């Protein structure tokens, strides 16, 4: 991702949020306006370049709300949602840290509490079902637990009133998709990416099933 906060970069993040929202049924993104605002902060808080690349060249903003163990836990949850296959997975994009920064810097306190309580709920559900926590679970057991919670979250979101809080797994899923598909590995290894500026192609043939282009390509 570019280091400078150019207008194109802001548009890219807005487009990324729109696309992830569409993946989740078109609902408003939790913390959406704050996520956009976070892209225009001063260099000391350049969250995106710090957490969306694995190069580590840019100093990362401190995480005070999540411990290293909790970030590792978030990574494993994200990897279960977007596992590595022939292409990189969520851990390759350091999605756990991305989620931590976004929750810390962009979520309202009540949503932060729901998110953190949700992490405990997932671990409790795994312990109840399999006798151990999520970090000790097999990939199959992790998928089983998150599949059930995903269904619970969808049912809740479909029925909830406007003023009701969002389900914690909706937050986790949103941030996993956003973090991954705006990361360098997501953009360049999973989506098709062409660095700009390049030539202008007003109409490009597309065959159904092909990998889609990254948002600003």
């Amino acid at each position: 991702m570019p280091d400078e906060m150019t207008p194109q970069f802001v548009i890219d993040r807005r487009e990324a949020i729109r696309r992830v929202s569409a993946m989740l049924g078109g609902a408003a993104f939790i913390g959406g306006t704050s996520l956009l605002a976070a892209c225009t902060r001063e260099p000391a808080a350049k969250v995106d370049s710090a957490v969306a690349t694995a190069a580590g060249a840019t100093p990362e903003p401190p995480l005070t709300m999540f411990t290293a163990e909790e970030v590792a836990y978030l990574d494993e949850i994200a990897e279960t949602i977007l596992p590595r296959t022939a292409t990189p997975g969520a851990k390759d994009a350091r999605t756990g840290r991305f989620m931590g920064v976004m929750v810390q810097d962009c979520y309202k306190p009540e949503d932060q509490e729901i998110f953190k309580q949700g992490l405990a709920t997932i671990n409790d559900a795994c312990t109840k079902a399999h006798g151990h926590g999520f970090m000790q679970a097999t990939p199959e057991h992790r998928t089983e637990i998150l599949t059930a919670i995903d269904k619970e979250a969808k049912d809740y979101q479909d029925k909830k009133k406007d003023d009701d809080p969002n389900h914690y797994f909706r937050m986790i899923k949103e941030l996993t998709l956003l973090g991954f598909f705006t990361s360098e590995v997501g953009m360049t290894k999973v989506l098709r990416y062409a660095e700009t500026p390049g030539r202008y192609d007003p109409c490009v043939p597309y065959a159904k099933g092909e990998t889609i282009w990254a948002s600003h390509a």
Side-chain angles (χ1 to χ4, degrees):
M1 288 191 172
D3 288 334
E4 295 182 1
M5 298 293 102
T6 62
Q8 180 65 51
F9 181 49
V10 175
I11 290 171
D12 289 346
R13 176 51 59 91
R14 188 185 301 278
E15 175 66 9
I17 290 174
R18 186 191 69 76
R19 291 189 181 198
V20 171
S21 177
M23 291 179 194
L24 295 168
F29 221 90
I30 301 166
T33 55
S34 295
L35 295 177
L36 289 172
C39 300
T40 60
R41 290 177 181 167
E42 294 301 315
K46 282 185 177 179
V47 171
D48 301 276
S49 61
V51 301
T53 72
T58 303
E60 295 185 327
L63 262 183
T64 57
M65 183 171 288
F66 295 90
T67 65
E69 290 75 19
E70 288 174 324
V71 170
Y73 179 32
L74 286 171
D75 263 336
E76 296 302 329
I77 293 173
E79 184 73 11
T80 305
I81 295 171
L82 291 174
R84 178 189 290 183
T85 55
T87 56
K91 280 202 297 187
D92 295 303
R94 304 182 67 203
T95 308
R97 179 173 174 80
F98 175 88
M99 284 196 278
V101 172
M102 290 294 119
V103 171
Q104 174 180 289
D105 290 357
C106 303
Y107 273 20
K108 296 182 293 186
E110 52 267 37
D111 287 334
Q112 292 172 340
E113 183 175 348
I114 291 171
F115 186 94
K116 294 211 70 172
Q117 184 57 46
L119 299 184
T121 301
I122 291 172
N123 206 50
D124 290 345
C126 193
T127 300
K128 183 177 180 181
H130 301 294
H132 49 66
F134 191 86
M135 293 296 279
Q136 292 74 44
T138 63
E140 292 76 17
H141 286 170
R142 290 177 178 183
T143 299
E144 173 193 316
I145 293 295
L146 294 192
T147 299
I149 293 175
D150 187 36
K151 183 179 184 307
E152 171 194 304
K154 185 176 187 308
D155 291 343
Y156 173 84
Q157 292 291 139
D158 288 344
K159 297 175 182 175
K160 86 177 188 69
K161 298 175 182 177
D162 290 344
D163 293 337
D164 290 339
N166 287 289
H167 195 283
Y168 65 88
F169 195 68
R170 167 80 188 204
M171 302 175 182
I172 292 172
K173 200 170 177 181
E174 280 185 355
L175 292 178
T176 296
L177 294 174
L178 182 63
F180 182 74
F181 286 109
T182 56
S183 71
E184 182 176 353
V185 295
M187 282 279 195
T188 62
K189 305 299 182 184
V190 177
L191 302 176
R192 287 192 287 177
Y193 178 83
E195 185 174 359
T196 54
R199 74 176 188 278
Y200 176 64
D201 290 320
C203 184
V204 179
Y206 175 77
K208 186 176 181 180
E210 285 185 339
T211 303
I212 64 172
W213 288 96
S215 59
H216 71 290

